[in-house]
Amino acid sequence: MPDTSTAATPVDFWFDPLCPWAWMTSRWVLEVEKVRDIKVRWHLMSLAVLNEDRLDELPEEYREMLATKAWGPVRVVIAAQEEHGAEVLGDLYTALGTRIHNQDEGPEKETVAAALKEVGLPDSLMEHWDSTPYEPQLRASHKEGIDKVGQDVGTPVIAVPGADGEQIAFFGPVVTPAPQGEEAARLWDGTLAVASVPGFYEIKRTRTKGPDFSNL
């Protein structure tokens, strides 16, 4: 039997490439990979799926965004996963997020096509923009993350080891800008600390700053 005592701690991360808060949290967790022995496993969730049963409760501008911007990118990403393996998600998300958020290109067709090209994935994946046979897989991936954390959340969802090694999931951490270096490590250590308390659920305060990508 192989020795797994030194295996990196798995961290599961659910993202929608549209979400700027998920983008910053994802850059934080990649920074943590540099300073702590963890390995991120990427999963897809969908803001469109998350909100499809409560559209009437949302502001008109947000409803419009979901209808016109939210489906295409996740359809392409789930097709990339299904046709080329889950291992492509990390690099593809980095290419997408850099363009959508850091470079302010938005979730346009041209943006997604450029990201595919950057990571060596075929342009034929863009055929899934308007519809995809992989929607059941998209919904299953989304459901897996939401089932771990509950319905009253958004993206990102992160699952980390809790008490006795049981995985505990949270929405967040929501932070701006993305912590780096030892600051990233301290936030990770704190995340593990609260996950180790079986009855812990939430710490929250009102956001007074918007997404800050200046250090990415």
Side-chain angles (χ1 to χ4, degrees):
M1 181 177 296
D3 180 11
T4 59
S5 60
T6 59
T9 299
V11 180
D12 290 288
F13 192 105
W14 280 263
F15 69 93
D16 183 317
L18 265 67
C19 179
W21 300 102
W23 173 242
M24 282 182 293
T25 305
S26 74
R27 299 310 93 181
W28 160 70
V29 81
L30 285 179
E31 186 74 8
V32 175
E33 276 195 329
K34 302 175 185 178
V35 293
R36 294 290 186 268
D37 191 18
I38 71 166
K39 178 62 179 176
V40 183
R41 302 185 297 204
W42 302 100
H43 308 272
L44 194 61
M45 64 183 297
S46 167
L47 290 171
V49 173
L50 180 70
N51 291 289
E52 63 184 352
D53 293 329
R54 53 189 181 196
L55 291 176
D56 291 344
E57 305 169 14
L58 302 175
E60 182 177 352
E61 182 178 355
Y62 193 69
R63 290 200 307 270
E64 178 69 13
M65 184 278 294
L66 293 175
T68 61
K69 305 290 187 182
W71 281 107
V74 293
R75 285 172 176 151
V76 173
V77 173
I78 197 64
Q81 173 187 298
E82 294 303 307
E83 296 183 8
H84 300 275
E87 62 271 14
V88 306
L89 289 184
D91 288 344
L92 180 55
Y93 183 27
T94 291
L96 283 169
T98 299
R99 285 172 168 78
I100 292 171
H101 304 296
N102 296 7
Q103 299 174 10
D104 198 26
E105 295 179 13
E108 310 300 333
K109 274 189 172 183
E110 296 79 6
T111 304
V112 177
L116 291 175
K117 183 177 181 180
E118 178 182 335
V119 298
L121 290 170
D123 186 64
S124 59
L125 289 168
M126 292 301 298
E127 296 172 5
H128 296 268
W129 182 269
D130 292 314
S131 65
T132 180
Y134 302 121
E135 186 169 321
Q137 289 90 332
L138 169 61
R139 290 179 178 274
S141 179
H142 175 90
K143 184 176 185 297
E144 181 185 12
I146 290 297
D147 283 353
K148 287 180 178 293
V149 74
Q151 295 297 318
D152 298 323
V153 300
T155 176
V157 170
I158 186 171
V160 303
D164 302 322
E166 179 185 1
Q167 203 175 48
I168 301 295
F170 297 111
F171 163 60
V174 175
V175 60
T176 185
Q180 297 180 342
E182 189 55 34
E183 186 179 41
R186 289 198 302 271
L187 180 56
W188 169 253
D189 294 342
T191 301
L192 289 185
V194 297
S196 71
V197 180
F200 174 82
Y201 290 100
E202 184 175 4
I203 293 176
K204 190 172 184 178
R205 63 174 177 164
T206 300
R207 298 178 202 172
T208 59
K209 295 182 179 179
D212 180 355
F213 310 124
S214 61
N215 66 343
L216 300 179

